[in-house]
């Protein structure tokens, strides 16, 4: 049994790394690793329940796993530097609307997850998770009595057994087919946050097709940058609605020229 489990877990991890780390067409710098534990927890208050269909064996979710987590080297190094910098400035890892704030208040520096969660949020990174039916997972916590559990709670999942597989564990969908979820388990559409004008331009080309409404905020952008951006929108047949707000937080609501309103 143990040998079987090990063999299938190693094969799975190998296929995952070959596919989503070493294969350039499926690599994304936004993916920081993979969790082998069963996804159960949603840290955003008032978040959705984790619900996925039977066909989804792999998906992306922001939350870090606490047992069986694989971390890719570059994001991990980034995190260590980010942590040292924030710690030296006396910053705390609080993030609005997250239950992990309470953990930090209770446990302080004894746990690293609130820090990592905030770092991942600030970078917009995601983790690969598995979704096998019948509470199956590639790593299981036995939840013995100790620091985290007052009394033994028993295994949180069933260890995946290769002999009872009813699907192909090693079939790795292209990254573009996978769904992405944030800390509230809301589906997010990746590649739709633009930090430069070029990125905004390419986002526009994709959303143009489905006539989406865009909400754009410009923080401290120069007049030239703003005019340039609005010009991009007009070229893509969008018209803008400027919403002036106090505190200098102005919004541009970008609407398709026809269809809506
Ligand atoms: C998903 O699995 C459940 C429980 O095993 C089953 O009842 C349902 O029919 C399955 N749905 C699909 C689309 O396969
Ligand atoms: C890399 O990924 C693409 C897209 O999923 C796939 O078509 C291709 O066969 C993969 N290449 C290798 C060497 O596995």
């Amino acid at each position: 049994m143990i040998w079987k489990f090990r063999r299938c877990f190693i094969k799975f991890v190998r296929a995952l790394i070959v596919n989503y780390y070493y294969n350039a067409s499926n690599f994304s710098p936004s993916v920081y690793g993979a969790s082998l534990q069963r996804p159960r927890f949603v840290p955003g208050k008032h978040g959705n329940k984790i619900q996925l269909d039977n066909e989804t064996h792999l998906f992306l979710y922001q939350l870090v796993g606490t047992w069986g987590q694989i971390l890719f080297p570059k994001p991990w190094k980034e995190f260590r530097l980010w942590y040292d910098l924030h710690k030296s400035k006396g910053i705390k890892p609080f993030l609005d609307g997250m239950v992990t704030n309470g953990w930090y208040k209770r446990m302080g520096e004894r746990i690293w997850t609130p820090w990592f969660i905030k770092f991942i949020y600030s970078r917009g990174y995601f983790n690969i998770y598995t979704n096998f039916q019948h509470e199956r997972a590639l790593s299981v916590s036995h939840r013995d009595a100790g620091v985290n559990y007052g009394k033994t709670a028993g295994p949180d999942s069933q260890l995946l057994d290769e002999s009872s597989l009813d699907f192909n564990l090693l079939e790795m969908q292209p990254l573009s087919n996978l769904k992405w979820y944030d800390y509230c388990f809301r589906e997010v559409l990746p590649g739709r946050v633009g930090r430069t004008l070029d990125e905004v331009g390419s986002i526009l080309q994709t959303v143009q097709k489905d006539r989406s409404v865009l909400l754009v905020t410009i923080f401290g952008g120069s007049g030239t940058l703003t005019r340039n951006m609005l010009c991009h929108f007009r070229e893509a047949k969008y018209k803008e609605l400027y919403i002036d707000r106090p505190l200098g937080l102005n919004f541009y609501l970008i609407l398709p020229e026809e269809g809506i309103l």
Side-chain angles (χ1 to χ4, degrees):
M1 270 294 266
I2 292 200
W3 178 80
K4 265 188 188 162
F5 152 67
R6 285 209 177 124
R7 203 174 56 148
C8 94
F9 139 78
I10 295 283
K11 277 197 278 189
F12 173 83
V13 170
R14 188 183 173 281
L16 185 128
I17 290 173
V18 164
N19 236 282
Y20 299 111
Y21 192 72
Y22 287 114
N23 184 338
S25 47
N26 283 322
F27 173 81
S28 162
S30 301
V31 175
Y32 68 83
S35 165
L36 302 179
Q37 87 183 60
R38 187 160 68 93
R40 303 183 64 192
F41 178 58
V42 176
K45 281 180 192 157
H46 319 297
N48 295 322
K49 244 184 96 183
I50 295 185
Q51 260 172 341
L52 294 151
D53 60 50
N54 304 7
E55 309 305 314
T56 303
H57 298 308
L58 290 176
F59 65 99
L60 292 119
Y61 181 29
Q62 286 200 284
L63 188 65
V64 64
T66 37
W67 49 88
Q69 174 67 44
I70 294 159
L71 293 157
F72 295 153
K74 191 166 170 281
W76 176 250
K77 279 186 204 152
E78 259 175 55
F79 167 67
R80 292 307 310 264
L81 295 171
W82 178 95
Y83 173 81
D84 289 346
L85 185 71
H86 283 70
K87 196 88 175 68
S88 68
K89 289 183 179 169
I91 297 170
K92 302 278 185 224
F94 292 127
L95 198 55
D96 268 358
M98 295 284 278
V99 301
T100 49
N101 293 345
W103 299 358
Y104 186 75
K105 282 182 195 148
R106 276 198 312 278
M107 315 264 271
E109 298 297 320
R110 277 184 293 156
I111 50 170
W112 62 287
T113 32
W115 287 100
F116 197 75
I117 283 171
K118 186 165 178 179
F119 164 76
I120 293 307
Y121 177 80
S122 73
R123 299 295 157 109
Y125 287 167
F126 288 81
N127 199 10
I128 299 172
Y129 269 87
T130 60
N131 171 54
F132 308 138
Q133 298 296 298
H134 317 297
E135 307 198 337
R136 290 175 298 180
L138 287 160
S139 79
V140 172
S141 165
H142 286 267
R143 300 190 295 186
D144 290 331
V147 176
N148 292 314
Y149 297 93
K151 55 181 185 187
T152 300
D156 78 304
S157 306
Q158 298 292 319
L159 205 53
L160 192 84
D161 178 0
E162 199 178 15
S163 65
S164 68
L165 276 185
D166 45 8
F167 62 93
N168 182 1
L169 183 66
L170 302 183
E171 189 196 319
M172 304 271 153
Q173 294 272 321
L175 190 67
S176 55
N177 288 5
L178 304 186
K179 289 194 169 180
W180 303 60
Y181 296 90
D182 68 9
Y183 281 134
C184 292
F185 215 74
R186 282 181 306 230
E187 190 177 349
V188 294
L189 300 167
R192 295 204 177 179
V193 174
R195 292 188 179 84
T196 65
L197 216 50
D198 277 353
E199 285 172 7
V200 172
S202 64
I203 294 166
L204 263 184
Q205 287 178 358
T206 59
V207 297
Q208 205 183 345
K209 294 193 194 97
D210 55 24
R211 317 302 291 156
S212 307
V213 173
L214 309 178
L215 181 67
V216 178
T217 64
I218 298 167
F219 296 100
S222 68
T224 317
L225 178 109
T226 310
R227 277 193 296 279
N228 222 325
M229 185 133 84
L230 293 178
C231 182
H232 261 286
F233 288 129
R234 277 181 217 122
E235 268 170 32
K237 295 217 173 340
Y238 275 89
K239 60 182 175 200
E240 79 275 11
L241 196 76
Y242 178 63
I243 305 168
D244 198 11
R245 301 268 311 241
L247 306 171
L249 255 179
N250 302 325
F251 291 97
Y252 291 89
L253 191 59
I254 313 288
L255 304 168
E257 270 191 351
E258 53 210 276
I260 300 174
L261 293 188

